[in-house]
Amino acid sequence: MSNRRSDLHPEVEAMLATLDAGFPDVAAFPAVEVRSMIDARRAPLGGQPDMRSVQNLTIDGPDGDPLPLRVFTPHAAADGALPTIVFAHGGGFVFCGIDSHDEFTRSLAEHTGSVVVSVEYRLAPEHQAPAALEDMYTAVQWATEHAGEYGGDVDRVAVAGDSAGGLLSAAVCLAARERGGPKIAAQILLYPVIDDDFDTESYRLYGEGYYNTTRAMKWYWDQYAPTGRDDMLVVPARAESLADLPPTVMITAELDPPAASGVRYAERLRADGVEVHEHQLEGLFHGVLTFANFPLTPQARQTVWDLIGEVL
């Protein structure tokens, strides 16, 4: 029997039941096995929405190792330079990548009229914090120099990410502030994993039975940052001040354990003088924006596209 709320939308209940049956208990396996299981579930790339161009390239990463990027240029680029969004995928810092988020990044490019640079950052636990953050920072530096070659506006470079990628996007904004650049036009945080506080109301209410669990979240953090969590570039909520950060889109999902931390981060941003556009996806769960075929996703995405339009 499910211990979930009885008032869920029938489509949400059905999807959560499907995920209960099919998504692995990540904490029960070594990271490399989890990665293989998740990869095996992924559908083949569909190449939709259609783009003006999609280019795979490799740049020098922060340690000199190759850093793969995929640059999506929508057809709107024919009319002039577009905002540029450097995107960090979710996946608990452990799995997923450019391919897993290909449809979402295409849709992000098309519906926001932006060039999207998707980043294949190094994964944990083989590469622990702050490796992924430094990869993201390097990609933002690259975009501010080269986005114009792909139809992007180098003076309007934003960062975005879902889940773990939301944390990396928030952290790269803090890094850019502390390091004196590059200038970031906006941070778009989609149900971000913003801290490691497992004792919030949303963890207490939704930490079990709603796809993303407290047990899984603790495991993800142990893979990514078993130590060093006092550093704001590892846990953005550790920053003493959030002043002078870029305009922010904060999207949380009601049924998501990290939701309360995202709301709290948005409140802190506002208190420190940052422009915040905030929305909670009522009755929806972690990861929903990348479930392209889920009936409630299009409406949720439209809200996100509209808020991104406001900051870009």
Side-chain angles (χ1 to χ4, degrees), residues 33-85:
E33 290 187 32
V34 171
R35 205 172 292 145
S36 295
M37 287 187 280
I38 300 299
D39 286 346
R41 290 165 50 91
R42 190 173 66 241
L45 296 181
Q48 294 296 321
D50 183 58
M51 296 282 103
R52 185 182 184 192
S53 69
V54 178
Q55 299 197 40
N56 292 306
L57 60 147
T58 302
I59 64 173
D60 289 334
D63 296 327
D65 294 328
L67 177 60
L69 307 175
R70 182 172 295 163
V71 184
F72 301 88
T73 302
H75 293 288
D79 298 326
L82 302 177
T84 303
I85 299 175

Side-chain angles (χ1 to χ4, degrees), residues 45 47-51 53-54 56 69-74 85-90 97-120 160-162 190 289-290 292 301 305 308:
L45 296 181
Q48 294 296 321
D50 183 58
M51 296 282 103
S53 69
V54 178
N56 292 306
L69 307 175
R70 182 172 295 163
V71 184
F72 301 88
T73 302
I85 299 175
V86 182
F87 183 82
H89 65 83
I98 287 175
D99 283 351
S100 66
H101 283 62
D102 184 84
E103 185 278 333
F104 181 77
T105 41
R106 285 171 178 268
S107 294
L108 176 64
E110 171 162 292
H111 292 283
T112 65
S114 303
V115 170
V116 174
V117 180
S118 190
V119 184
E120 188 94 340
D162 65 319
L190 309 176
L289 294 171
T290 55
R301 283 187 176 186
W305 310 147
I308 293 173

Side-chain angles (χ1 to χ4, degrees), residues 192-266:
V193 178
I194 208 70
D195 65 26
D196 59 346
D197 183 355
F198 308 113
D199 194 35
T200 65
E201 182 181 20
S202 55
Y203 266 100
R204 291 193 294 272
L205 290 174
Y206 304 117
E208 185 177 352
Y210 295 87
Y211 172 46
N212 185 30
T213 66
T214 302
R215 172 177 161 88
M217 287 301 309
K218 290 180 176 179
W219 183 83
Y220 296 140
W221 272 108
D222 287 342
Q223 308 310 301
Y224 177 63
T227 61
R229 295 190 201 171
D230 290 336
D231 185 344
M232 69 178 180
L233 299 186
V234 178
V235 182
R238 299 285 188 272
E240 292 185 8
S241 170
L242 302 180
D244 302 317
L245 291 175
T248 302
V249 171
M250 173 65 76
I251 303 295
T252 55
E254 182 188 7
L255 307 180
D256 185 20
S261 294
V263 171
R264 183 168 59 196
Y265 197 73

